[in-house]
Every structure is written in structure tokens, then in C-alpha cells.
């Protein structure tokens, strides 16, 4: 099936793609085998270096507390950045020029600054102008940097998701008398959530990974920073990196899998049931419209839904 981006590959193109895939698989297998041999030659596969991960001390003292701090910072940043990004994304679609200008300036400003620089600025701000303790300051700085940057990115995701909807949705809402605020909250946003979900989830994965920047620069005791302490005590640098990388992979895989399930659930829930609504159902939904303008004919036995004249 052809699309705007590419044509359906023919027999020769299919054979060429299969050949390229096979060559890539062989090269990848050779690379993994070479890495395995190098690690074996340097003694990195010795059981003594991996043994700490089979005991509870390495997990309860270093890895699990670091993972808890990573999840804590990521969760706080997600909870704050998502609604803040939605507000700025909707504000960029406002009919008022000054609202669009202010929201656009804020979004473009924070989206252009690296998130690590925002964390460093936030840490210095909390150090100079607040009473936040030195123990809590890294967490505050990491969450602040993540919120400012990712709220700006999510604002663009929300704006693009709303603009991707057919214009007829907005026109139909205006035709039945809904105001712009009602149209946005009742019509556009619920439909845009499904379209925005993959981009939102990918940004949430970025938030989880960016918590490691706080561990490197601000000594925030997240997962990667805790790995450094573990490696210093057990002298297993490469092994600790591998274990932490697997933990990040599993964590982000769970997050993306949940998002995929949620997207499928939302799509199924929005499908029409095909039921036909009668006059009584319509009266329950909007009794003023049904009883006032489109009455049931009263006691005279008029046709349901017919207009009554006095």
C-alpha cells in the first residue's frame, strides 16, 4: 500500500531489504560476540564481580533507594509539567494576541535552554534566595529544571494535537451554541488526548532518564548516582552500569507498555455503540431543549420531536 512518504516495495526492493536486514543481524551478532570476548579476556565476567547483585545489601542500600529517588523526582515533574504544559499549549491557541504572545515567549524561552542548565540555575536560586536545606535542594532543583523544560515541550505537543483535529469538530461545536472554552474542554481535548498520548509518553520517558543529570551535576542521590557509590564499594564499574541500564530499560518499557494499553482502551471507549436515542433519552440529556423547543406534542399526542406552536 502506497503512502505520501513511500511507495510499496517491489520484489527487488523486498529482496534487498531482507539482505540488508540479514547483514545487519550478522554484524550485530559479531559485535556482541566481540564485546563478550573482550569482557572475558579482561576478567569482567568473573562471578566475584557479579556476586554483589545476588545479595540484598546492594539492592536495599544503593539501587532501590536510588530508584525510589528517580521515581520520586520523575513523578513530581510529570504531575506538575503535564497540566502546566496543557495550560500553555491552550493559551497559544487563544483568540487574544497578548495571551498568545506571552505563552509563546515562555514556551520558546524554556524550550531553548538545556534542561541541565535549568537545573543548575534552579539550584543556585534555591541556594541564594530560599531557605531550602542543602539536603533537599538537589531534589528541588532537579524537579524545577524538569518541569520548566518539559512543560514547554508538552505545550507544543498539546497545541499540535489540538490543531491536528478536523476543523469540522470546532465548527460543529459552534453550530450547536458551545463557547470556545466549552468546545476546548468537551470536544477538542478529549479527542486530542488519544492522538497526543504517544508523544506525551515519549516525553515522560525523557523525564525519567533526565533525572540522571541531577545525579551527575548536583549530587542528587538518584539511580545513576547511587550506582557510583555501589561501584566504589564493590569495584564493579562495568557490571553496575549494565545492571542500572537494564533497570532503566525495564522501567521505561513498563511505562510505554502501559501507555500503549491506555491508548487502545481510549480508542475502544470512544467507538460508537450504534444505539438509537429516543425522545425520552434526549429529554434526559437536555430536558430544556426537548421540552421547550422540540416538545413531544403534549397531551394532544403530537409526534415525538415535532415543534409545537401556541
Amino acid at each position: 500500500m502506497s503512502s505520501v512518504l513511500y511507495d510499496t516495495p517491489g520484489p527487488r526492493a523486498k529482496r534487498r531489504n531482507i539482505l540488508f536486514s540479514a547483514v545487519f543481524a550478522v554484524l550485530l551478532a559479531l559485535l556482541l560476540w566481540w564485546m563478550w570476548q573482550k569482557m572475558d579476556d579482561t576478567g569482567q565476567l568473573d562471578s566475584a564481580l557479579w556476586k554483589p547483585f545476588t545479595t540484598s545489601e546492594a539492592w536495599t542500600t544503593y539501587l532501590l533507594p536510588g530508584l525510589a529517588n528517580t521515581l520520586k523526582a520523575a513523578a513530581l515533574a510529570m504531575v506538575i509539567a503535564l497540566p502546566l504544559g496543557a495550560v500553555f499549549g491552550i493559551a497559544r491557541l487563544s483568540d487574544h494576541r497578548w495571551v498568545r504572545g506571552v505563552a509563546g515567549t515562555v514556551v520558546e524561552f524554556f524550550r531553548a535552554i538545556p534542561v541541565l542548565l535549568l537545573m543548575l540555575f534552579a539550584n543556585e536560586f534555591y541556594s541564594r534566595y530560599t531557605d531550602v536545606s542543602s539536603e533537599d535542594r538537589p531534589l528541588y532543583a532537579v524537579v524545577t529544571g524538569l518541569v520548566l523544560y518539559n512543560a514547554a515541550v508538552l505545550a507544543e505537543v498539546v497545541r499540535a494535537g489540538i490543531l491536528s483535529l478536523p476543523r469540522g469538530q470546532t465548527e460543529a461545536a459552534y453550530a450547536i451554541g458551545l463557547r470556545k472554552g466549552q468546545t476546548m474542554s468537551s470536544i477538542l481535548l478529549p479527542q486530542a488526548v488519544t492522538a497526543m498520548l504517544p508523544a506525551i509518553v515519549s516525553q515522560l520517558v525523557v523525564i525519567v532518564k533526565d533525572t540522571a543529570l541531577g545525579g551527575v551535576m548536583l549530587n542528587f542521590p538518584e539511580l545513576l548516582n547511587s550506582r557510583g557509590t555501589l561501584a566504589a564499594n564493590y569495584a564493579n564499574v562495568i557490571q553496575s552500569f549494565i545492571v542500572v541500564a537494564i533497570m532503566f530499560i525495564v522501567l521505561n518499557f513498563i511505562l510505554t507498555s502501559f501507555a500503549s494499553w491506555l491508548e487502545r482502551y481510549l480508542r475502544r471507549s470512544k467507538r460508537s455503540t450504534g444505539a438509537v436515542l429516543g425522545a425520552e433519552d434526549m429529554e434526559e440529556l437536555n430536558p430544556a431543549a426537548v421540552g421547550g423547543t422540540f416538545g413531544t406534542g403534549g397531551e394532544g399526542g403530537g409526534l415525538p420531536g415535532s415543534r409545537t406552536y401556541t
Side-chain angles (χ1 to χ4, degrees):
M1 181 177 180
S2 300
S3 70
V4 178
L5 300 178
Y6 63 91
D7 293 327
T8 303
R12 293 181 59 184
K14 290 182 179 179
R15 290 194 297 268
R16 185 169 60 250
N17 293 339
I18 294 174
L19 177 62
F20 288 160
S21 300
V23 170
F24 175 78
V26 172
L27 293 177
L28 180 60
L30 291 175
L31 176 63
L32 295 176
W33 176 81
W34 177 79
M35 294 173 60
W36 182 274
Q37 290 296 321
K38 285 295 183 181
M39 293 181 65
D40 190 27
D41 294 340
T42 57
Q44 296 298 326
L45 298 179
D46 293 346
S47 60
L49 297 175
W50 296 92
K51 188 176 180 180
F53 300 107
T54 62
T55 63
S56 61
E57 182 181 359
W59 292 93
T60 57
T61 306
Y62 303 104
L63 295 179
L64 292 182
L67 178 62
N69 288 328
T70 293
L71 295 177
K72 180 180 179 181
L76 288 173
M78 291 176 190
V79 170
I80 301 173
L82 277 173
L84 194 61
V87 169
F88 278 100
I90 295 173
R92 297 203 67 179
L93 300 174
S94 174
D95 293 333
H96 304 286
R97 181 177 298 178
W98 68 271
V99 175
R100 295 197 308 270
V102 171
T105 302
V106 172
V107 168
E108 295 299 332
F109 177 79
F110 287 110
R111 196 172 60 156
I113 301 178
V115 63
L116 179 57
L117 194 58
L118 291 173
M119 291 180 184
L120 294 175
F121 273 123
N123 184 67
E124 191 66 20
F125 174 82
Y126 289 126
S127 175
R128 290 176 179 268
Y129 304 109
T130 66
D131 296 330
V132 178
S133 65
S134 58
E135 295 180 357
D136 297 333
R137 195 181 303 144
L139 174 62
Y140 279 62
V142 169
V143 172
T144 301
L146 291 175
V147 167
L148 293 177
Y149 177 77
N150 290 282
V153 175
L154 290 171
E156 287 299 286
V157 172
V158 171
R159 186 174 72 93
I162 294 174
L163 291 177
S164 67
L165 297 176
R167 186 173 179 82
Q169 299 286 334
T170 304
E171 295 174 348
Y174 289 161
I176 62 175
L178 294 182
R179 297 187 298 273
K180 184 170 184 178
Q182 294 174 319
T183 302
M184 185 66 68
S185 61
S186 303
I187 306 297
L188 299 182
L189 276 180
Q191 296 184 75
V193 166
T194 304
M196 296 185 298
L197 199 56
I200 291 176
V201 172
S202 66
Q203 200 59 36
L204 298 184
V205 171
V206 171
I207 292 177
V208 173
K209 295 188 295 184
D210 281 350
T211 56
L213 297 175
V216 174
M217 297 300 297
L218 303 176
N219 203 28
F220 174 57
E222 46 76 47
L223 183 57
L224 193 61
N225 181 271
S226 300
R227 179 223 61 85
T229 308
L230 181 146
N233 290 334
Y234 293 101
N236 54 357
V237 176
I238 294 180
Q239 292 74 17
S240 61
F241 272 124
I242 293 175
V243 171
V244 169
I246 293 174
M247 293 177 66
F248 271 111
I249 291 172
V250 172
L251 178 61
N252 291 325
F253 176 76
I254 293 174
L255 186 60
T256 53
S257 298
F258 172 75
S260 300
W261 171 84
L262 182 61
E263 183 181 4
R264 291 193 300 269
Y265 174 79
L266 291 176
R267 291 186 183 277
R268 289 197 301 267
S269 63
K270 290 180 180 180
R271 292 175 182 172
S272 173
T273 60
V276 179
L277 298 179
E280 296 179 355
D281 299 322
M282 291 300 296
E283 187 173 1
E284 292 178 0
L285 292 175
N286 195 346
V290 176
T293 307
F294 297 95
T296 59
E299 297 179 356
L303 294 174
S306 61
R307 187 181 299 273
T308 58
Y309 299 92
T310 57

